[in-house]
Amino acid sequence: MRFDILTIFPGMFDSYCNESMVKRARAKKIIDIHIHDIRKFSTERHGKVDAIPYGGGPGMVMTPQPLYDAIMHAKTLNKGPVIYLSPRGKLLTHKKAQKLAQSKKNSKQKPGLILVCGRYEGIDQRVIDLCVDEELSIGKYVLTGGELAALVVLDAVSRFVPDFIGKHESTVEESYSEALGGKKEYPHYTRPALFMNLEVPEVLQSGHHAKIKEWRKNKLT
Ligand code: SAM
């Protein structure tokens, strides 16, 4: 799966995209991440990307030209939908992440997503009207910028890309999954059996698979 991320802070993606499972998946070409610096598309002096809002009010708004050009460039490389990370968008859910992992226009194409990170008060509405397919929020709160939201989408979606998750883990039986009826998962325990006077539930130590299954089922919330 291919991710093209548009931001004015490309350096923010360096550490996350070069560690742990994302690093491994990139090395194995399971996911492909391309970060684009929106400033580089600005035709204004010093790569200016913001201006004061029409109608007045506090803060700045991201101007349409650099963003529009950056999105058009990304669209030549990635046929997936253009998603603007925004607190006004639809809430990201387990199901939505699963669906986005299959974002492609036809069966011959690799799935892809173009993620647009806003800053300041947000982006000029005309960019949304002209080239955004969907607005997505990661929660009912306001972040300083879309970069963390883009990483959340990248991570949650990547888990549904075939082979992203190792053999010892699975997305099938997890919180919110169909297998758990959309419920939250049961608690986990590991060694030692006794820690700070708290013991692992006896049933989990019993080796009795049917009883363990039943206990876990009862612990779903
Ligand atoms: N003025 C906007 C409002 O009140 O809705 C908030 C703008 S916010 C300070 C700057 C950028 O952060 C947004 O353009 C968006 O890209 C990103 N952002 C903030 N909160 C977000 C959220 N909950 N989900 C996704 N992106 C978010």
Side-chain angles (χ1 to χ4, degrees), residues 62 84-88 116-123 136-147 149:
M62 288 182 79
Y84 169 48
L85 285 317
S86 162
R88 290 167 56 196
V116 180
C117 306
R119 279 270 152 181
Y120 316 119
E121 289 305 318
I123 70 176
L136 209 55
S137 165
I138 63 156
K140 289 189 176 183
Y141 43 78
V142 176
L143 301 163
T144 318
E147 288 74 14

Side-chain angles (χ1 to χ4, degrees), residues 101-162:
Q102 288 138 23
S103 296
K104 53 183 173 182
K105 295 215 168 100
N106 65 54
S107 58
K108 280 187 203 141
Q109 271 163 7
K110 263 211 277 183
L113 288 181
I114 298 173
L115 303 175
V116 180
C117 306
R119 279 270 152 181
Y120 316 119
E121 289 305 318
I123 70 176
D124 190 292
Q125 181 62 34
R126 290 164 294 181
V127 174
I128 300 173
D129 297 343
L130 286 168
C131 40
V132 168
D133 294 304
E134 207 169 337
E135 291 184 67
L136 209 55
S137 165
I138 63 156
K140 289 189 176 183
Y141 43 78
V142 176
L143 301 163
T144 318
E147 288 74 14
L148 284 173
L151 282 172
V152 168
V153 173
L154 166 83
D155 191 295
V157 171
S158 294
R159 293 176 64 79
F160 292 107
V161 174

Side-chain angles (χ1 to χ4, degrees), residues 82-100:
V82 177
I83 293 182
Y84 169 48
L85 285 317
S86 162
R88 290 167 56 196
K90 266 201 195 151
L91 268 188
L92 176 69
T93 60
H94 180 91
K95 263 195 189 155
K96 182 70 188 172
Q98 198 167 13
K99 208 170 159 208
L100 288 175

